[in-house]
Amino acid sequence: MKTITINECAEHLLKADNILILMHKSPDGDAIGCAYALAHALRKAGKRAMPVCTDDIPKKYSYITDTLEVQDFEPEYIVSVDLADTQLFGDKLIQYKDKVNLCIDHHGSNTGFAEYGFIDAGAGACAQIIKKVINAMKVDIDKNIANAIFTGIVTDTGCFKYSNATVESYNIAAEMLEHGAEGFFINRLMFDTKSRQRLEMEKLALESMKFYNNGQIAVIFITRDMIEKSGAEDGDTEGIAGMPRQVEGVKIGITFREKEKGTFKISMRSSGDIDVSALCQKLGGGGHKAAAGCSMTGDIDEIEKTVVEIAGTAL
Amino acid sequence: MKTITINECAEHLLKADNILILMHKSPDGDAIGCAYALAHALRKAGKRAMPVCTDDIPKKYSYITDTLEVQDFEPEYIVSVDLADTQLFGDKLIQYKDKVNLCIDHHGSNTGFAEYGFIDAGAGACAQIIKKVINAMKVDIDKNIANAIFTGIVTDTGCFKYSNATVESYNIAAEMLEHGAEGFFINRLMFDTKSRQRLEMEKLALESMKFYNNGQIAVIFITRDMIEKSGAEDGDTEGIAGMPRQVEGVKIGITFREKEKGTFKISMRSSGDIDVSALCQKLGGGGHKAAAGCSMTGDIDEIEKTVVEIAGTAL
């Protein structure tokens, strides 16, 4: 991958048309915010552009997705946003894995699968980079773009609570409010509203919590049984991986989430002082310093033992 | 009370010395942030200045209070910050109720007890006003002042989740980060850290949750038994009254908290569309439109029935 500047990203995009914008599977607020903000901006620049994702976009983001009419076209240019690895393309997008023209991302672990790329691991949210690309494209930021960028920033920084929230995160969020972003509505929806299923899920997750290494490691489990019992959908479990790390004294929080019977997605969280990305790399995964993950298959007790042991080496 | 400008507030303060800064009883992050930021600024301007409060400052704010050495002097000038009413002075400060020279506040309900005052009800946090007064005093904002102002903003806006968070709240928070405020440390401490006892309390509260009126009313219980079982202290139950209202579809959230065997403090929360203060007034209590309360004694089942019935009249 050839690294280019923000201005060059804008130039490349302004030369292209019929642009497909790839999101990672299990899309979160930053992926969705980036893709829809960029799509709106490209359309304002006269292009055809459409965000695509292997998975359905969770309904709670409809205030973003409903603002963009579906466009159907033969893609001529492919850009990925907030996407670190072709492993995250999912089955519907994997056909594009060798065809990505431009990659805009904030994951230091980005595998460089695209022809050109701009990666800024210092950006709290990829949406902060997309905002600069839109500025460089000289497209005015309207309310739809502002809502999408604002959503990316607040969801990826945990409403400014995570260590990745920088002065720039606050400043761009404020700028988006000035462009019409509905900050109160978005923050309330993302951080102060829970479905009954989510609540049930949290209760079960709390009941499953265990502590290791003198309370410095906390683990929770989200099994298929728990998901069924709570009636939770995929969107209802978002952010639950942050729960164990919230407990006073916990340095590493670990969530074991059963994707299919016997296959677990493991999420690790720290306060940024411990590099959980390095720990997850030992288990075949990766991510950010304070938030990383990996996948493992087998007996859950064995998996738990292995993961806690690896985590313990960092204390 | 004579209303003056921010610049005049600064002029009055710069003319004074031996300045006592009054906080309200049960001080919160905004009261503490305002008082300590102003004290630091006045000392940098060569004055003697000391914040005072009827109640002890909660330990979690020690990163603010520890930065200021105690000064003992005969007060010559008295300024109150974030203080709406002499009823909130408490027993230690009530001696000053007719002696306040200057009142800086953001409560529209301010009773005008001081000689001079600046009230801006549009400021999400009073700390936003104090920051402007410090600017007008031409005192450089250092890390101690920045931490105090930042704390005031994030605590009074619920980390930007409440409707009072404005563009200015974000912008001043960002400016404080540039002056060295430890945003991650503060937000983590205020919004992302829970004691194990608190977690246990939340689990028990969730287990007690019941719904009425097609899910528009949610109630939880915090009994003496639950408090004992969880090992929770008073600080561990702070904010739990907000839980039932967070549930999707809930318009009125009600918390029954047993103060002594058979005596309950009832808290009602809405999203501001339903006036729960009016409902609580019918039960002998009162409060704000979105957050109110009352006390009742008797059989909990009877009390619950009465309160839910009254709440139902507002739907």
Side-chain angles (χ1 to χ4, degrees):
Chain A
M1 187 173 77
K2 187 166 182 290
T3 295
I4 57 175
T5 64
I6 297 234
N7 282 333
E8 287 167 335
C9 288
E11 282 165 25
H12 284 225
L13 288 164
L14 289 173
K15 273 186 209 148
D17 200 358
N18 294 331
I19 300 159
L20 210 58
I21 307 169
L22 310 188
M23 281 175 267
H24 59 73
K25 60 183 183 180
S26 303
D28 57 11
D30 196 22
I32 298 161
C34 286
Y36 280 80
L38 187 57
H40 274 296
L42 288 167
R43 290 191 188 181
K44 289 180 83 164
K47 316 289 179 184
R48 292 205 290 179
M50 193 67 213
V52 283
C53 188
T54 286
D55 296 315
D56 289 340
I57 311 286
K59 275 188 204 125
K60 70 173 174 179
Y61 295 103
S62 62
Y63 66 94
I64 295 176
T65 55
D66 285 355
T67 60
L68 195 77
E69 265 179 59
V70 174
Q71 285 184 344
D72 203 6
F73 51 79
E74 197 60 42
E76 290 173 8
Y77 189 88
I78 295 172
V79 52
S80 67
V81 291
D82 191 39
L83 227 170
D85 192 324
T86 53
Q87 287 190 8
L88 300 168
F89 279 38
D91 53 11
K92 284 190 195 154
L93 302 189
I94 197 66
Q95 57 180 310
Y96 302 117
K97 79 179 169 60
D98 299 318
K99 295 175 183 165
V100 181
N101 300 96
L102 177 63
C103 165
I104 302 172
D105 190 21
H106 72 134
H107 293 91
S109 59
N110 189 290
T111 59
F113 51 81
E115 191 184 354
Y116 294 96
F118 179 84
I119 318 291
D120 177 6
C126 188
Q128 297 171 203
I129 308 171
I130 296 294
K131 183 259 173 188
K132 292 179 191 170
V133 172
I134 294 173
N135 285 157
M137 285 166 57
K138 306 222 183 298
V139 169
D140 284 342
I141 291 177
D142 59 23
K143 183 181 164 183
N144 290 332
I145 295 174
N147 271 341
I149 297 287
F150 187 91
T151 299
I153 293 173
V154 295
T155 53
D156 248 33
T157 64
C159 207
F160 308 101
K161 286 197 304 290
Y162 304 154
S163 54
N164 61 353
T166 61
V167 173
E168 187 184 85
S169 313
Y170 284 78
N171 278 328
I172 298 182
E175 195 186 326
M176 294 306 103
L177 292 174
E178 288 176 307
H179 286 296
E182 296 153 300
F184 173 55
F185 162 77
I186 293 169
N187 285 345
R188 168 111 207 257
L189 180 66
M190 293 298 151
F191 305 105
D192 213 14
T193 306
K194 293 174 181 180
S195 69
R196 283 210 213 178
Q197 292 76 10
R198 164 64 179 232
L199 221 62
E200 188 61 29
M201 198 66 242
E202 282 189 11
K203 194 173 82 185
L204 296 172
L206 281 177
E207 283 167 1
S208 79
M209 193 176 285
K210 291 198 271 184
F211 295 93
Y212 294 98
N213 295 54
N214 290 323
Q216 294 182 91
I217 296 176
V219 307
I220 58 170
F221 299 85
I222 300 174
T223 63
R224 298 310 311 167
D225 284 353
M226 286 160 67
I227 291 173
E228 265 168 47
K229 196 176 159 190
S230 66
E233 293 173 29
D234 266 358
D236 293 321
T237 57
E238 203 183 299
I240 277 195
M243 282 172 62
R245 213 245 334 111
Q246 285 186 327
V247 183
E248 217 168 19
V250 170
K251 296 199 166 150
I252 303 176
I254 308 172
T255 303
F256 296 89
R257 184 168 159 185
E258 194 173 20
K259 300 298 282 183
E260 303 155 28
K261 206 80 200 163
T263 297
F264 292 84
K265 163 101 176 63
I266 292 132
S267 303
M268 268 196 214
R269 299 285 184 272
S270 77
S271 305
D273 41 354
I274 291 171
D275 183 356
V276 291
S277 168
L279 296 172
C280 286
Q281 272 169 26
K282 291 184 193 170
L283 298 160
H288 301 283
K289 205 177 166 195
C294 62
S295 281
M296 290 173 83
T297 302
D299 175 68
I300 181 58
D301 293 334
E302 286 296 319
I303 291 176
E304 182 189 357
K305 205 178 149 218
T306 306
V307 174
V308 169
E309 222 168 81
I310 293 273
T313 61
L315 296 171
Chain B
M1 187 175 76
K2 186 167 183 290
T3 294
I4 57 174
T5 65
I6 296 231
N7 281 333
E8 287 168 333
C9 287
E11 282 165 26
H12 283 224
L13 288 165
L14 288 174
K15 273 185 211 149
D17 200 358
N18 295 329
I19 301 160
L20 210 58
I21 307 170
L22 311 188
M23 283 174 265
H24 58 73
K25 61 184 183 180
S26 301
D28 58 10
D30 196 22
I32 298 161
C34 286
Y36 280 81
L38 187 57
H40 274 296
L42 288 167
R43 290 191 188 181
K44 289 180 84 165
K47 316 289 180 186
R48 291 205 291 180
M50 194 66 213
V52 283
C53 187
T54 286
D55 296 314
D56 289 339
I57 311 287
K59 276 191 202 122
K60 70 173 174 180
Y61 295 103
S62 62
Y63 66 94
I64 295 177
T65 55
D66 285 354
T67 60
L68 195 78
E69 265 179 58
V70 174
Q71 285 184 345
D72 203 8
F73 50 79
E74 197 58 44
E76 290 173 9
Y77 188 89
I78 295 172
V79 52
S80 68
V81 291
D82 191 39
L83 227 170
D85 192 325
T86 53
Q87 287 190 7
L88 301 168
F89 278 39
D91 52 12
K92 284 189 196 155
L93 302 189
I94 198 67
Q95 57 179 310
Y96 303 116
K97 78 178 169 61
D98 299 318
K99 296 175 182 164
V100 181
N101 301 95
L102 176 64
C103 166
I104 302 172
D105 190 20
H106 72 135
H107 293 91
S109 59
N110 190 290
T111 59
F113 51 80
E115 192 185 354
Y116 294 95
F118 177 85
I119 318 291
D120 177 5
C126 187
Q128 298 171 204
I129 308 171
I130 295 294
K131 184 258 171 189
K132 292 178 191 171
V133 172
I134 294 173
N135 284 157
M137 283 166 58
K138 306 223 184 296
V139 169
D140 283 341
I141 291 178
D142 59 21
K143 184 180 163 183
N144 291 332
I145 295 174
N147 270 342
I149 298 286
F150 187 92
T151 299
I153 294 173
V154 295
T155 53
D156 249 33
T157 63
C159 206
F160 308 101
K161 286 198 301 292
Y162 304 154
S163 54
N164 61 353
T166 61
V167 172
E168 187 183 87
S169 312
Y170 284 79
N171 277 330
I172 297 181
E175 196 185 326
M176 293 306 105
L177 292 175
E178 287 176 308
H179 286 296
E182 295 153 300
F184 171 57
F185 162 78
I186 294 168
N187 286 344
R188 169 114 206 253
L189 181 66
M190 295 295 153
F191 306 105
D192 211 15
T193 305
K194 293 175 180 179
S195 68
R196 284 210 211 180
Q197 291 77 11
R198 165 64 180 234
L199 221 63
E200 189 61 29
M201 197 67 242
E202 283 190 10
K203 195 173 82 184
L204 295 172
L206 282 177
E207 282 166 4
S208 79
M209 193 176 282
K210 291 197 271 184
F211 294 93
Y212 293 98
N213 295 56
N214 291 321
Q216 293 181 91
I217 296 175
V219 308
I220 58 170
F221 298 86
I222 299 173
T223 63
R224 297 311 311 167
D225 284 352
M226 286 160 67
I227 291 173
E228 263 169 51
K229 197 177 157 190
S230 66
E233 292 173 30
D234 266 358
D236 293 320
T237 57
E238 203 183 300
I240 276 194
M243 281 173 63
R245 211 256 321 119
Q246 285 186 328
V247 184
E248 214 168 22
V250 170
K251 295 196 167 154
I252 303 175
I254 307 172
T255 303
F256 297 90
R257 184 169 160 182
E258 195 173 20
K259 300 299 282 182
E260 305 154 29
K261 207 79 200 161
T263 298
F264 292 84
K265 162 98 177 65
I266 292 133
S267 302
M268 270 197 213
R269 298 284 184 273
S270 76
S271 305
D273 40 354
I274 290 171
D275 184 357
V276 290
S277 168
L279 297 173
C280 287
Q281 272 168 26
K282 291 183 192 170
L283 298 161
H288 302 282
K289 204 176 167 196
C294 61
S295 281
M296 291 172 83
T297 302
D299 175 67
I300 180 60
D301 293 334
E302 286 296 319
I303 291 176
E304 182 189 356
K305 204 178 151 219
T306 306
V307 173
V308 169
E309 222 168 81
I310 293 274
T313 62
L315 296 173

